Amino acid sequence: MNKFLSLLDKEFKLTIRNYYLFIVLAIALILILVIRFVVPSEINMEKSLYLYPNKEAVKTLEDTNYQNLENKSTVFSSKEEVIKAMEKDYNSLGLILKSNNGEAGFELITQGYENDDIINMAIVDIQSYLGRIEFDDSSQVTILREGSSLENIPLNLNVVPLAIMLESALMGLFLISVMLILEKDHKTIKAFVTTPTNVTLLLGAKLITMLLYSFLSAILIVVFTVGVNVNWVNTLILIGLTSIWSSCLGLTIANLYKSLTSAMMPLIIVSLLLGAPVVSYFAPMFAPTYLKIMPTYSLMLGLKEALFVSGSNTMFLEAAKFSIFLVIIFSASTIMTKKFATGKQ
Amino acid sequence: MINVNNLFHSYTKDDNYAVKDVSFNVKKGEIFGFLGPSGAGKSTTQNILIGLLKLQKGKVIVADKEIRRFGKELFNTIGVSFEQPNVYKKLTGIENLKFHASMYSVPTKNPEELLTMVGLEDSINKRAEGYSKGMLQRLVFARSMINDPSIWFLDEPTSGLDPTTAAKIKEIIKQKRSEGTTIFMTTHNMQIADDLCDRIAFITDGQISAIDSPRNLKLKYGQKLVKVTQRTESGIVEKRFSIIDNKEKQQLKKIIDDNNFETMHSQEATLEEIFIKVTGRRLE
């Protein structure tokens, strides 16, 4: 135990004197500032509607919701004025109401960048105001996965699970690789292996150091963005497991390479792969299997559950199981490759 | 304390041996020098003895126990001083030694006393990144004594040191020998080998060419010479005469009979000359 405490003491002294702690705190501070002050809590997706209502057409719409449509539109007195206003406002649509043989018709004017889905949704929306589509109480919405909706979470806070997961994973991956490669480069590990202490203990101390830094960073980010009312146990379990498997992965990579330069390419590739599921996080409809099998996918969703207390543990349990599996796999790979680090052949 | 028999090692795991059929033994309390140029197989042999390289072929006994049977406890009994300054540069001298001491399972020496012993008492609390090359070398040397080893491996212990500090280090090594420490020293510095070693082995291309005490090697391979200085019309002239060659012996006798000399000294060959003679190689 004393040996391990000495190793931890050494790792803390080295990481503090090499400014690693400063880097961790600086990144946490930047993320807090970005989440609090740069990313908006919501993005206004609504477009302005510029309307020219033909009087003859309006007369035929007395029994419809047309008035509500007019209330949320800006009304102009000609089609030309509508177009002129649209040219000044890129986030707008134009609607020209027309009379066709005593019935109301319409012409939708778009900016040109809208895809078919948006145009079709706008047409359905307009038609509902014009009494062409009726909604009644028999219509029902069923949610398949409770808690996976981003709707009720402010946009900036939605970034928090992503930020703490990636910082924990990438910090584990990169910093621990640098720590081990420097030991090899300075040949201090060669001096260490001529002591009666096992190298596994040295790697363990590095791993625990990274774990504590991950906790520190995650706690700071969560407290200063989401607040204290989160499921801390689940959050710290996931952050801890992420830190451990990513550190083991970092150690495995560092074990295989002699210099930081040669290890950099595999580290960058692994980082990009780990970051790829971010796409699915923000666009849940796009979740192909090759993104879902990335450990970071379930971790982000698990952390979202833990941070925003949805009452569901489904994703947390999935992420925790996956992470435990990875901890076992990567610790085994670290132990198997550690002989390269010590120079034993 | 150390017995090596028919040791072979190949990094490529084929017949391309870095160490080939090496055999020697080191007795308790002896300083054994392993001399050879770079790439001769010195470090490979030492790395096998200290357990950094796996034994492939041959038999190695360290501290009366076969190296294959040794676990980590071997490192409680040995100390290793590396040629490279492999210390934590961000830690101070005392922090480096205290950390290293805490890795052992046996009583350790007082780090401050060791640093004072090697002349680093004024830099105890200075980070190693601010040390000169010689200071780093002394820190590594002090670290290797932290567990008071009974078998001490030294790799170029005076490399990069000024003559005064080198003399201090040599005194420490001699003192350790007198206390019964067995010392295995790899070097290509013939002077330190001559000054310190009880026995030396010459190694080139992974093979040992000769093992004996420096004195015996000189007697065996060196010529017995007498150096004579004479005053002539053109100034002082220095000549060497073999006392084995009959013709030269007669010439020397005549000089003595005629009292035609200013000084006369017996002279032995240097270890370096003997190394070249035995191995056909220079040490650089």
Side-chain angles (χ1 to χ4, degrees):
Chain A
M1 193 60 190
N2 283 344
K3 287 182 181 181
F4 190 67
L5 290 177
S6 287
L7 281 162
L8 267 184
D9 177 54
K10 186 248 322 178
E11 293 303 340
F12 277 113
K13 278 178 182 155
L14 290 180
T15 50
I16 289 167
R17 291 174 192 178
N18 278 313
Y19 305 109
Y20 292 178
L21 178 62
F22 173 75
I23 292 168
V24 170
L25 292 176
I27 292 174
L29 180 67
I30 290 167
L31 286 170
I32 291 167
L33 293 175
V34 168
I35 292 166
R36 296 277 319 244
F37 303 110
V38 179
V39 181
S41 59
E42 57 180 320
I43 295 175
N44 186 3
M45 303 290 280
E46 276 192 26
K47 286 174 174 290
S48 308
L49 185 64
Y50 297 145
L51 173 69
Y52 164 55
N54 179 290
K55 283 178 185 168
E56 289 301 314
V58 172
K59 282 179 189 169
T60 65
L61 299 170
E62 281 177 357
D63 297 331
T64 67
N65 283 330
Y66 167 72
Q67 197 52 50
N68 289 339
L69 179 65
E70 194 175 297
N71 290 346
K72 70 174 195 175
S73 309
T74 310
V75 178
F76 291 90
S77 54
S78 72
K79 181 179 174 180
E80 287 70 29
E81 281 182 25
V82 168
I83 291 170
K84 215 172 171 181
M86 282 181 69
E87 282 171 349
K88 288 178 186 168
D89 182 3
Y90 199 55
N91 191 27
S92 63
L93 287 173
L95 181 64
I96 314 298
L97 275 184
K98 295 174 174 178
S99 172
N100 285 333
N101 302 322
E103 275 193 36
F106 65 86
E107 178 187 351
L108 181 69
I109 304 172
T110 65
Q111 295 283 351
Y113 62 77
E114 300 86 347
N115 60 29
D116 287 347
D117 293 342
I118 290 177
I119 293 169
N120 290 336
M121 280 171 69
I123 291 171
V124 170
D125 195 34
I126 293 163
Q127 285 188 330
S128 72
Y129 283 108
L130 302 183
R132 308 271 169 80
I133 299 171
E134 295 278 329
F135 290 108
D136 55 37
D137 291 343
S138 64
S139 301
Q140 190 182 330
V141 176
T142 303
I143 297 169
L144 197 59
R145 291 184 184 86
E146 285 290 346
S148 61
S149 167
L150 306 182
E151 207 175 322
N152 300 322
I153 306 167
L155 182 72
N156 58 340
L157 297 189
N158 235 324
V159 179
V160 176
L162 170 76
I164 58 174
M165 188 278 303
L166 283 182
E167 210 204 341
S168 175
L170 299 185
M171 187 163 68
L173 190 70
F174 271 95
L175 285 189
I176 210 160
S177 306
V178 172
M179 286 159 79
L180 186 59
I181 288 171
L182 282 181
E183 289 245 18
K184 286 163 74 175
D185 200 30
H186 295 163
K187 299 200 165 37
T188 44
I189 200 157
K190 203 172 171 184
F192 178 83
V193 294
T194 60
T195 71
T197 307
N198 202 301
V199 177
T200 309
L201 218 54
L202 173 79
L203 300 181
K206 291 186 188 299
L207 210 122
I208 296 295
T209 308
M210 282 298 102
L211 179 70
L212 294 176
Y213 282 176
S214 289
F215 281 155
L216 175 68
S217 164
I219 290 169
L220 283 175
I221 294 172
V222 172
V223 167
F224 287 102
T225 54
V226 183
V228 291
N229 190 22
V230 300
N231 186 337
W232 282 109
V233 175
N234 287 7
T235 303
L236 293 179
I237 286 174
L238 288 187
I239 289 295
L241 289 170
T242 306
S243 174
I244 293 171
W245 66 250
S246 63
S247 296
C248 288
L249 180 60
L251 286 174
T252 305
I253 293 171
N255 269 328
L256 295 171
Y257 295 91
K258 281 184 179 171
S259 72
L260 201 54
T261 321
S262 53
M264 203 43 84
M265 188 52 81
L267 286 172
I268 290 172
I269 291 171
V270 172
S271 307
L272 289 174
L273 289 173
L274 291 177
V278 171
V279 181
S280 300
Y281 181 76
F282 284 109
M285 66 289 281
F286 179 71
T289 311
Y290 62 84
L291 289 183
K292 281 168 114 172
I293 58 166
M294 291 289 159
T296 39
Y297 175 80
S298 57
L299 275 166
M300 279 187 287
L301 298 179
L303 279 168
K304 199 170 92 177
E305 261 183 10
L307 290 177
F308 301 110
V309 199
S310 65
S312 164
N313 267 341
T314 321
M315 290 313 296
F316 165 76
L317 290 174
E318 197 174 310
K321 274 190 277 184
F322 199 178
S323 295
I324 290 167
F325 170 71
L326 289 173
V327 167
I328 295 166
I329 294 289
F330 290 136
S331 345
S333 69
T334 305
I335 291 164
M336 281 166 71
T337 53
K338 80 175 181 196
K339 64 178 181 177
F340 293 108
T342 60
K344 284 195 179 185
Q345 288 162 54
Chain B
M1 287 296 269
I2 300 174
N3 262 296
V4 176
N5 285 303
N6 310 110
L7 179 68
F8 288 81
H9 191 88
S10 167
Y11 288 102
T12 45
K13 309 267 170 73
D14 54 17
D15 290 342
N16 189 15
Y17 290 108
V19 170
K20 198 169 7 175
D21 201 16
V22 163
S23 299
F24 62 90
N25 67 80
V26 186
K27 294 179 210 110
K28 183 173 165 52
E30 182 181 35
I31 302 181
F32 186 83
F34 218 49
L35 275 70
S38 299
K42 303 190 298 282
S43 298
T44 304
T45 307
Q46 177 169 307
N47 284 342
I48 294 168
L49 297 184
I50 63 176
L52 282 182
L53 276 178
K54 200 174 168 186
L55 177 63
Q56 290 176 350
K57 193 177 167 188
K59 193 174 180 184
V60 174
I61 293 171
V62 176
D64 303 324
K65 198 170 176 183
E66 241 191 285
I67 195 102
R68 283 186 211 273
R69 291 185 187 162
F70 256 120
K72 275 283 177 185
E73 74 276 9
L74 165 72
F75 298 109
N76 279 322
T77 58
I78 69 167
V80 185
S81 176
F82 296 91
E83 189 185 4
Q84 311 103 322
N86 55 351
V87 296
Y88 292 105
K89 302 273 168 63
K90 292 283 177 188
L91 298 185
T92 63
I94 193 88
E95 282 172 343
N96 264 293
L97 290 204
K98 279 183 176 171
F99 164 70
H100 213 69
S102 67
M103 293 299 108
Y104 288 91
S105 317
V106 289
T108 51
K109 291 272 193 185
N110 183 326
E112 280 184 44
E113 279 175 18
L114 288 178
L115 289 171
T116 305
M117 197 190 270
V118 297
L120 288 175
E121 62 274 19
D122 294 333
S123 307
I124 279 176
N125 293 313
K126 189 176 172 183
R127 284 192 196 175
E129 63 190 347
Y131 280 23
S132 67
K133 195 184 167 199
M135 289 164 83
L136 286 169
Q137 194 61 43
R138 280 182 276 162
L139 180 58
V140 171
F141 183 80
R143 185 182 64 188
S144 69
M145 291 186 280
I146 196 82
N147 57 326
D148 196 14
S150 56
I151 304 176
W152 199 14
F153 293 89
L154 304 175
D155 190 1
E156 304 288 358
T158 57
S159 163
L161 300 181
D162 61 80
T164 316
T165 316
K168 190 182 261 185
I169 296 296
K170 281 198 268 186
E171 278 313 307
I172 296 171
I173 296 170
K174 284 178 187 170
Q175 187 195 324
K176 283 281 168 191
R177 173 179 53 188
S178 67
E179 290 168 7
T181 306
T182 306
I183 300 166
F184 181 89
M185 185 169 68
T186 56
T187 184
H188 61 258
N189 183 332
M190 288 294 171
Q191 191 57 51
I192 188 175
D194 206 358
D195 289 350
L196 291 176
C197 295
D198 297 308
R199 284 189 307 138
I200 52 177
F202 290 154
I203 181 167
T204 49
D205 300 324
Q207 287 180 295
I208 289 179
S209 321
I211 301 179
D212 214 328
S213 66
R215 184 174 184 278
N216 286 347
L217 284 170
K218 285 173 191 170
L219 289 173
K220 188 173 178 185
Y221 296 103
Q223 276 192 308
K224 290 172 182 170
L225 299 170
V226 172
K227 188 171 81 178
V228 177
T229 53
Q230 294 174 293
R231 186 173 291 279
T232 62
E233 286 171 4
S234 55
I236 304 278
V237 175
E238 195 178 278
K239 286 180 183 170
R240 283 184 174 80
F241 298 92
S242 168
I243 54 171
I244 298 165
D245 183 89
N246 281 331
K247 193 180 167 191
E248 288 190 26
K249 262 164 69 177
Q250 288 305 316
Q251 287 174 341
L252 181 63
K253 188 171 182 297
K254 188 171 186 310
I255 288 170
I256 294 167
D257 291 345
D258 297 347
N259 199 21
N260 182 19
F261 64 94
E262 281 206 334
T263 63
M264 187 177 285
H265 299 283
S266 65
Q267 193 179 38
E268 58 184 12
T270 64
L271 264 185
E272 182 146 14
E273 286 165 343
I274 292 170
F275 184 88
I276 294 165
K277 190 171 180 180
V278 172
T279 66
R281 301 272 296 273
R282 288 193 165 272
L283 271 168
E284 290 81 25

